[in-house]
Amino acid sequence: MKIFFFFLFSFFFSLSSQAQCAMCRAALESEDGAVKAEAVNDGIVYLMAIPYILVGVLGYVIYKMRYGKKK
């Protein structure tokens, strides 16, 4: 029950942060283009999503190998 309240509390009272590495920030501040900033943010999301996808596929393969052959 404590875990449920922890996740509920974390969901409703999360802190918003906007962070970038120093090189990304310098590149975005030197240019006056919103397109470049959007491209950098899309790249960050892309780089963040790939490990989660790989772990999910690996988990699915392990699950199928372990439990898929029992029929």
Side-chain angles (χ1 to χ4, degrees):
M1 194 67 170
K2 290 181 182 180
I3 294 174
F4 172 73
F5 285 118
F6 173 74
F7 284 116
L8 187 67
F9 181 79
S10 297
F11 180 73
F12 286 115
F13 296 105
S14 64
L15 297 174
S16 176
S17 65
Q18 296 182 4
Q20 292 176 337
C21 69
M23 292 179 66
C24 296
R25 179 171 291 210
L28 294 177
E29 287 178 352
S30 66
E31 290 284 324
D32 192 33
V35 175
K36 189 173 183 181
E38 188 175 329
V40 169
N41 288 335
D42 289 343
I44 291 169
V45 171
Y46 175 74
L47 289 172
M48 179 194 71
I50 294 298
Y52 288 106
I53 293 169
L54 291 175
V55 168
V57 168
L58 181 65
Y60 178 74
V61 168
I62 291 172
Y63 175 79
K64 280 303 216 182
M65 285 174 48
R66 189 168 177 102
Y67 298 111
K69 295 181 181 179
K70 293 180 181 178
K71 279 195 174 185

